[in-house]
Amino acid sequence: MANGISTDTNFDINKITEETKKVVTELLAEAKLEQGDILVVGCSSSEVDHHQIGTFSSAEIGQAIFDTIHEITNQAGIYLATQCCEHLNRALIVEKKCAKEHNLTIVNVVPQLKAGGSFSTAAYAGFEKAVAVETIQANAGIDIGDTLIGMHLRPVAVPVRTKQSTIGDAHVVCARTRYKYIGGERASYES
Protein backbone atom coordinates (compact mmCIF):
# COMPACT_ATOMS: atom_id res chain seq x y z
CA MET A 1 0.00 0.00 0.00
CA ALA A 2 1.27 3.46 -0.94
CA ASN A 3 -0.44 6.53 0.56
CA GLY A 4 -3.59 4.54 1.34
CA ILE A 5 -3.90 3.22 -2.23
CA SER A 6 -4.18 -0.54 -2.54
CA THR A 7 -1.63 -2.55 -4.42
CA ASP A 8 -3.19 -5.74 -3.05
CA THR A 9 -4.36 -8.32 -5.58
CA ASN A 10 -5.44 -11.02 -3.15
CA PHE A 11 -9.16 -10.36 -3.64
CA ASP A 12 -11.37 -12.35 -6.02
CA ILE A 13 -12.65 -9.81 -8.53
CA ASN A 14 -15.01 -12.35 -10.13
CA LYS A 15 -16.63 -13.06 -6.77
CA ILE A 16 -16.99 -9.32 -6.10
CA THR A 17 -18.61 -8.85 -9.51
CA GLU A 18 -21.06 -11.74 -8.97
CA GLU A 19 -22.01 -10.51 -5.49
CA THR A 20 -22.58 -7.01 -6.88
CA LYS A 21 -24.86 -8.38 -9.62
CA LYS A 22 -26.91 -10.29 -7.04
CA VAL A 23 -27.39 -7.24 -4.81
CA VAL A 24 -28.38 -4.92 -7.66
CA THR A 25 -30.71 -7.46 -9.26
CA GLU A 26 -32.46 -8.19 -5.96
CA LEU A 27 -32.90 -4.50 -5.14
CA LEU A 28 -34.21 -3.56 -8.57
CA ALA A 29 -36.75 -6.41 -8.44
CA GLU A 30 -38.04 -5.14 -5.08
CA ALA A 31 -37.81 -1.39 -5.74
CA LYS A 32 -39.67 -1.50 -9.08
CA LEU A 33 -37.87 1.56 -10.42
CA GLU A 34 -39.10 3.15 -13.62
CA GLN A 35 -37.10 4.40 -16.57
CA GLY A 36 -35.39 7.69 -15.65
CA ASP A 37 -35.40 6.97 -11.90
CA ILE A 38 -32.14 7.29 -9.96
CA LEU A 39 -30.22 4.63 -8.04
CA VAL A 40 -27.61 6.08 -5.67
CA VAL A 41 -24.68 3.89 -4.66
CA GLY A 42 -21.96 4.52 -2.12
CA CYS A 43 -19.02 2.12 -2.15
CA SER A 44 -15.93 1.69 0.01
CA SER A 45 -13.43 -0.43 -1.88
CA SER A 46 -11.43 -0.55 1.36
CA GLU A 47 -14.30 -2.30 3.14
CA VAL A 48 -14.84 -4.68 0.22
CA ASP A 49 -11.19 -5.74 0.61
CA HIS A 50 -11.48 -6.20 4.44
CA HIS A 51 -9.93 -2.87 5.46
CA GLN A 52 -11.35 0.09 7.36
CA ILE A 53 -13.28 2.56 5.21
CA GLY A 54 -11.04 5.15 3.58
CA THR A 55 -7.75 3.39 4.29
CA PHE A 56 -7.07 1.13 1.32
CA SER A 57 -8.59 2.46 -1.92
CA SER A 58 -8.55 -0.05 -4.76
CA ALA A 59 -8.97 1.22 -8.31
CA GLU A 60 -9.57 -2.34 -9.53
CA ILE A 61 -12.39 -3.02 -7.05
CA GLY A 62 -14.01 0.37 -7.67
CA GLN A 63 -13.87 -0.19 -11.42
CA ALA A 64 -15.33 -3.70 -11.24
CA ILE A 65 -18.24 -2.64 -9.05
CA PHE A 66 -18.95 0.45 -11.16
CA ASP A 67 -18.84 -1.52 -14.43
CA THR A 68 -21.23 -4.13 -13.04
CA ILE A 69 -23.80 -1.69 -11.67
CA HIS A 70 -23.54 0.66 -14.65
CA GLU A 71 -24.25 -2.16 -17.10
CA ILE A 72 -27.35 -3.25 -15.17
CA THR A 73 -28.74 0.26 -14.69
CA ASN A 74 -28.12 1.15 -18.35
CA GLN A 75 -30.08 -1.90 -19.48
CA ALA A 76 -32.95 -0.91 -17.15
CA GLY A 77 -32.94 2.75 -18.25
CA ILE A 78 -32.15 3.87 -14.70
CA TYR A 79 -29.67 6.61 -13.86
CA LEU A 80 -26.76 5.70 -11.58
CA ALA A 81 -25.47 8.25 -9.09
CA THR A 82 -22.21 7.40 -7.33
CA GLN A 83 -21.53 8.96 -3.95
CA CYS A 84 -18.06 10.37 -3.38
CA CYS A 85 -16.32 10.04 -0.03
CA GLU A 86 -16.41 12.56 2.79
CA HIS A 87 -13.39 14.46 1.38
CA LEU A 88 -15.71 15.73 -1.36
CA ASN A 89 -18.58 16.20 1.11
CA ARG A 90 -20.35 13.16 -0.33
CA ALA A 91 -20.95 14.86 -3.68
CA LEU A 92 -22.28 12.62 -6.44
CA ILE A 93 -21.14 11.74 -9.93
CA VAL A 94 -23.91 11.39 -12.52
CA GLU A 95 -24.42 11.57 -16.26
CA LYS A 96 -24.94 15.17 -17.39
CA LYS A 97 -28.22 14.03 -18.96
CA CYS A 98 -29.42 12.93 -15.49
CA ALA A 99 -28.44 16.28 -13.97
CA LYS A 100 -30.33 18.16 -16.69
CA GLU A 101 -33.42 15.92 -16.58
CA HIS A 102 -33.69 16.12 -12.77
CA ASN A 103 -32.70 19.81 -12.54
CA LEU A 104 -29.62 19.12 -10.40
CA THR A 105 -27.08 21.85 -9.71
CA ILE A 106 -23.73 20.91 -11.24
CA VAL A 107 -20.55 21.65 -9.27
CA ASN A 108 -16.91 21.57 -10.34
CA VAL A 109 -14.85 18.72 -8.91
CA VAL A 110 -13.12 15.65 -10.31
CA PRO A 111 -12.92 12.64 -7.96
CA GLN A 112 -9.64 10.82 -7.36
CA LEU A 113 -8.75 7.68 -5.44
CA LYS A 114 -8.15 9.46 -2.12
CA ALA A 115 -10.54 12.39 -2.68
CA GLY A 116 -13.79 10.99 -3.97
CA GLY A 117 -12.98 7.30 -3.89
CA SER A 118 -12.26 4.55 -6.39
CA PHE A 119 -15.93 3.91 -7.23
CA SER A 120 -16.72 7.53 -8.14
CA THR A 121 -13.36 7.89 -9.90
CA ALA A 122 -14.37 4.94 -12.09
CA ALA A 123 -17.79 6.52 -12.68
CA TYR A 124 -16.28 9.86 -13.69
CA ALA A 125 -14.15 8.08 -16.29
CA GLY A 126 -16.87 5.61 -17.32
CA PHE A 127 -19.93 7.78 -17.80
CA GLU A 128 -20.50 9.22 -21.27
CA LYS A 129 -20.49 12.80 -19.93
CA ALA A 130 -19.87 12.82 -16.17
CA VAL A 131 -20.63 15.75 -13.90
CA ALA A 132 -20.64 16.26 -10.15
CA VAL A 133 -23.65 17.42 -8.13
CA GLU A 134 -23.92 18.14 -4.41
CA THR A 135 -27.36 16.74 -3.69
CA ILE A 136 -29.86 14.34 -5.13
CA GLN A 137 -33.05 12.62 -4.08
CA ALA A 138 -32.70 9.10 -5.46
CA ASN A 139 -35.49 6.56 -5.73
CA ALA A 140 -33.39 3.71 -4.30
CA GLY A 141 -29.92 3.13 -2.96
CA ILE A 142 -27.17 0.67 -2.19
CA ASP A 143 -24.64 1.30 0.57
CA ILE A 144 -21.55 -0.88 0.18
CA GLY A 145 -19.33 -0.67 3.26
CA ASP A 146 -21.36 1.69 5.47
CA THR A 147 -20.78 4.84 3.40
CA LEU A 148 -24.01 6.51 4.62
CA ILE A 149 -26.04 7.21 1.48
CA GLY A 150 -29.24 8.08 3.35
CA MET A 151 -28.80 11.80 2.79
CA HIS A 152 -29.28 11.20 -0.94
CA LEU A 153 -32.54 9.22 -0.79
CA ARG A 154 -36.01 10.64 -1.23
CA PRO A 155 -38.23 10.61 1.80
CA VAL A 156 -39.50 8.01 2.82
CA ALA A 157 -36.75 5.33 2.70
CA VAL A 158 -37.76 1.70 3.20
CA PRO A 159 -35.10 -0.95 3.95
CA VAL A 160 -34.77 -3.78 1.45
CA ARG A 161 -33.25 -6.97 2.80
CA THR A 162 -31.34 -8.70 0.01
CA LYS A 163 -30.24 -12.31 0.32
CA GLN A 164 -26.78 -11.16 -0.75
CA SER A 165 -25.85 -8.95 2.22
CA THR A 166 -22.14 -8.49 1.53
CA ILE A 167 -19.86 -7.64 -1.35
CA GLY A 168 -16.43 -8.97 -0.55
CA ASP A 169 -16.08 -8.19 3.15
CA ALA A 170 -18.25 -5.07 2.98
CA HIS A 171 -21.63 -4.91 4.69
CA VAL A 172 -24.41 -4.00 2.23
CA VAL A 173 -27.60 -2.11 3.04
CA CYS A 174 -30.25 -1.38 0.41
CA ALA A 175 -33.30 0.86 0.38
CA ARG A 176 -36.16 1.83 -1.86
CA THR A 177 -38.32 4.88 -1.36
CA ARG A 178 -42.07 5.38 -1.35
CA TYR A 179 -44.34 8.37 -1.59
CA LYS A 180 -45.24 10.06 1.69
CA TYR A 181 -48.70 9.29 2.99
CA ILE A 182 -50.62 12.51 3.55
CA GLY A 183 -54.06 13.21 4.87
CA GLY A 184 -55.80 11.77 7.85
CA GLU A 185 -58.08 8.95 8.86
CA ARG A 186 -60.44 9.56 5.93
CA ALA A 187 -57.71 9.43 3.28
CA SER A 188 -57.27 6.38 1.07
CA TYR A 189 -53.99 5.31 -0.53
CA GLU A 190 -52.73 3.40 -3.53
CA SER A 191 -50.77 0.25 -2.65
Side-chain angles (χ1 to χ4, degrees):
M1 175 172 68
N3 297 324
I5 298 173
S6 172
T7 55
D8 180 17
T9 57
N10 291 328
F11 47 80
D12 184 344
I13 205 71
N14 293 323
K15 181 176 181 249
I16 290 167
T17 299
E18 284 307 309
E19 290 171 347
T20 302
K21 282 182 190 175
K22 287 178 185 176
V23 169
V24 176
T25 302
E26 286 183 60
L27 173 61
L28 293 184
E30 178 72 25
K32 297 177 178 54
L33 300 182
E34 298 175 358
Q35 192 165 9
D37 283 350
I38 301 171
L39 171 69
V40 63
V41 179
C43 174
S44 168
S45 61
S46 301
E47 292 278 336
V48 171
D49 194 24
H50 70 271
H51 299 280
Q52 183 179 348
I53 192 169
T55 63
F56 208 69
S57 297
S58 168
E60 187 177 2
I61 290 172
Q63 187 70 56
I65 292 173
F66 168 74
D67 288 344
T68 302
I69 298 172
H70 189 228
E71 180 180 345
I72 295 168
T73 55
N74 264 353
Q75 289 173 356
I78 296 165
Y79 289 118
L80 172 60
T82 68
Q83 178 181 267
C84 295
C85 71
E86 66 180 298
H87 298 97
L88 296 186
N89 295 329
R90 306 222 188 282
L92 302 123
I93 305 303
V94 297
E95 291 276 7
K96 188 172 188 177
K97 182 178 176 183
C98 175
K100 296 282 190 182
E101 186 175 314
H102 290 274
N103 198 30
L104 305 173
T105 302
I106 297 171
V107 295
N108 188 359
V109 71
V110 177
Q112 301 173 53
L113 281 181
K114 295 301 288 176
S118 64
F119 180 63
S120 286
T121 300
Y124 197 85
F127 282 145
E128 188 175 317
K129 177 66 177 158
V131 296
V133 299
E134 284 189 293
T135 61
I136 208 165
Q137 286 201 331
N139 306 85
I142 302 172
D143 187 322
I144 304 167
D146 302 320
T147 60
L148 303 176
I149 60 159
M151 65 193 284
H152 296 303
L153 290 171
R154 296 171 63 184
V156 171
V158 179
V160 174
R161 305 274 187 244
T162 56
K163 291 178 187 166
Q164 182 67 48
S165 61
T166 59
I167 296 176
D169 284 352
H171 177 240
V172 174
V173 175
C174 297
R176 63 176 178 81
T177 60
R178 66 161 174 79
Y179 297 126
K180 290 180 182 181
Y181 295 138
I182 63 167
E185 61 187 37
R186 290 184 282 184
S188 62
Y189 305 101
E190 292 186 30
S191 59

